[in-house]
């Protein structure tokens, strides 16, 4: 069948696009890769989405968004899209369960956590190294954890980790955080939190689980090795040093900046007719749930207009 809109990605951008497209009576299918919800689903508490109640988790908000889109008729399908042929009039995307066709596509794949790239990191993922506090914090109940990074994600997740870990040490490569002042103030007041300023992690070591880590003070060049407390045997290393757009699928068809973010105009239009991009995957200055949702709404309404004028 020929859909009106294919939406790739079921984070806030994709789900908002699905909601608006479905309410415009378009025949819309949304693809989610794993559990859906995108980065929102692995975010602890959401405090800055207008109208969201205090203490609503990212996962709960994502579920509500999905239910709302479905309520108005959007179809949400679990399938990983591995090919996209979207330059022609009929857009074709291929997933594990077949080829899907549509008049328009909204690209809303978002981004994924960027690794540090230090020795030991890749080998110890899931064995003490993590990119998701919501997913893994529980494994570190009453243990020590290090959080690498100084942006909003690092500080938000560090706050979340204080609910589980005995001590949370934030390791930042500069002497001031990049994160919003509000979260900095909250974090620095927390008695469980310590900060290692001007410090990077050089190596993570362990046989089966994280057992030690080598840190370097970038100003003095001094190296220190932290070894897990004997009773604990291990500790956590949570990495939040930014993320990269998941845009490889569209390379060669859709215009991108050198970092791989998709270039759109203010109406979310890409260089291809009938192809729109929304959320964290596009070039923009503020990556938030609210801006992703707004992008999705705009993209859906523009897709509707495109279909109307290209019948
Ligand atoms: P980000 O803002 O790019 O911050 C990345 C942090 O990691 C920076 O502090 C950076 O240091 C540090 N870093 C980068 N590479 C490093 C390396 N190799 N070694 C050590 N440290 C390194 O990324 P993010 O925190 O993932 O946030 C991404 C976007 O989502 C941002 O626009 C953010 O505002 C938004 N976001 C918002 C919220 C919220 O509002 N609650 C929550 C999550 C994310 P420098 O500061 O020195 O560059």
């Amino acid at each position: 069948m020929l859909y009106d809109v294919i939406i790739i990605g079921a984070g806030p951008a994709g789900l908002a696009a699905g909601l608006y497209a479905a309410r415009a009576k378009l025949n819309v299918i949304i693809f989610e890769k794993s559990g859906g919800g995108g980065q929102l689903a692995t975010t602890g508490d959401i405090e800055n989405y207008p109208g969201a109640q205090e203490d609503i988790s990212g996962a709960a908000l994502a579920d509500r968004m999905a239910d709302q889109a479905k309520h108005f008729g959007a179809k949400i399908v679990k399938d990983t899209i591995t090919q996209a042929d979207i330059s022609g009039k009929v857009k074709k995307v291929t997933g594990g369960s077949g080829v899907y066709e549509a008049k328009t596509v909204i690209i809303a794949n978002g981004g994924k956590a960027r690794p540090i790239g230090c020795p030991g990191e890749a080998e110890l993922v899931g064995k003490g190294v993590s990119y998701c506090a919501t997913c893994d914090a529980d494994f570190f109940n009453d243990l020590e954890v290090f959080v690498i990074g100084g942006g909003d994600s690092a500080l938000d997740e560090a706050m979340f980790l204080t609910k589980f870990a005995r001590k949370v040490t934030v390791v930042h490569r500069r002497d001031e955080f990049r994160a919003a002042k509000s979260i900095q103030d909250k974090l620095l007041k927390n008695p469980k939190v310590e900060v290692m300023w001007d410090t990077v992690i050089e190596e993570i070591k362990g046989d089966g689980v994280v057992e030690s880590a080598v840190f370097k003070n970038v100003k003095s060049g001094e190296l220190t090795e932290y070894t897990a407390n004997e009773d604990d045997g291990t500790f956590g290393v949570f990495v939040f040093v930014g993320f990269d757009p998941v845009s490889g699928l569209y390379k060669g068809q859709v215009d991108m900046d050198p970092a791989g973010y998709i270039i759109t105009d203010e109406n979310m239009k890409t260089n291809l007719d009938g192809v729109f991009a929304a959320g964290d995957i596009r070039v923009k200055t503020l990556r938030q749930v609210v801006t992703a949702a707004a992008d999705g709404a705009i993209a859906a309404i523009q897709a509707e207009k495109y279909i109307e004028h290209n019948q």
Side-chain angles (χ1 to χ4, degrees):
M1 80 174 279
L2 182 68
Y3 289 96
D4 290 320
V5 192
I6 281 177
I7 299 172
I8 307 171
L15 292 172
L19 170 68
Y20 274 74
R23 283 179 55 83
K25 301 276 180 250
L26 298 177
N27 190 358
V28 56
I29 183 165
I30 307 174
F31 292 105
E32 64 177 24
K33 198 171 161 186
S34 41
Q39 296 168 79
L40 178 59
T42 58
T43 302
D45 294 340
I46 299 291
E47 291 184 333
N48 56 4
Y49 187 73
Q53 284 161 331
E54 212 173 291
D55 282 346
I56 186 169
S57 71
L61 185 58
D63 282 349
R64 280 197 201 174
M65 288 183 180
D67 287 345
Q68 197 177 1
K70 280 194 272 193
H71 173 77
F72 286 103
K75 190 167 156 185
I76 303 183
V77 169
K78 202 165 281 198
D79 200 353
T80 301
I81 301 303
T82 51
Q83 265 184 52
D85 175 8
I86 53 175
S87 305
K89 192 156 194 281
V90 174
K91 320 291 179 194
K92 293 182 186 157
V93 305
T94 308
S97 45
V99 178
Y100 303 84
E101 296 185 343
K103 298 173 189 169
T104 63
V105 169
I106 298 175
I107 297 171
N109 301 57
K112 68 170 178 357
R114 183 183 302 157
I116 307 165
C118 71
E121 179 187 17
E123 294 78 3
L124 290 162
V125 171
K127 298 164 184 163
V129 174
S130 171
Y131 303 90
C132 174
T134 321
C135 319
D136 297 329
D138 201 32
F139 297 122
F140 297 92
N141 252 319
D142 205 32
L143 294 176
E144 295 207 11
V145 301
F146 290 84
V147 169
I148 317 298
D152 284 323
S153 299
L155 271 56
D156 273 353
E157 303 304 312
M159 273 310 291
F160 180 74
L161 282 160
T162 59
K163 296 180 189 167
F164 301 82
R166 184 170 74 229
K167 182 177 164 195
V168 176
T169 305
V170 179
V171 180
H172 184 40
R173 64 181 177 183
R174 289 189 291 137
D175 59 5
E176 59 178 347
F177 288 131
R178 177 181 294 275
K181 191 84 178 62
S182 52
I183 177 83
Q184 292 190 34
D185 292 347
K186 223 166 150 181
L187 185 90
L188 294 170
K189 272 190 209 138
N190 192 305
K192 279 190 176 179
V193 173
E194 248 179 44
V195 182
M196 284 167 77
W197 300 106
D198 301 310
T199 302
V200 293
I201 189 163
E202 288 275 288
E203 187 175 358
I204 307 168
K205 300 180 189 174
D207 185 13
V209 289
V210 170
E211 289 163 357
S212 75
V214 180
F215 297 98
K216 180 179 169 184
N217 183 299
V218 292
K219 285 196 172 149
S220 67
E222 189 193 344
L223 292 174
T224 48
E225 182 158 355
Y226 174 83
T227 303
N229 170 311
E230 217 169 273
D231 291 337
D232 297 344
T234 188
F235 58 90
V237 179
F238 284 81
V239 179
F240 303 104
V241 296
F243 72 91
D244 296 314
V246 182
S247 59
L249 200 54
Y250 315 106
K251 279 217 166 95
Q253 295 184 79
V254 179
D255 287 348
M256 296 173 193
D257 76 359
Y261 288 97
I262 293 175
I263 298 166
T264 69
D265 67 7
E266 63 178 17
N267 286 322
M268 310 304 139
K269 290 183 186 170
T270 68
N271 57 306
L272 297 178
D273 287 339
V275 178
F276 306 84
D280 285 0
I281 198 164
R282 60 180 281 266
V283 175
K284 62 196 298 192
T285 51
L286 185 63
R287 293 194 170 82
Q288 297 277 299
V289 182
V290 69
T291 60
D295 286 0
I298 295 167
I301 297 307
Q302 290 300 322
E304 182 195 11
K305 285 196 163 69
Y306 172 86
I307 292 168
E308 222 173 85
H309 293 127
N310 289 278
Q311 291 289 13

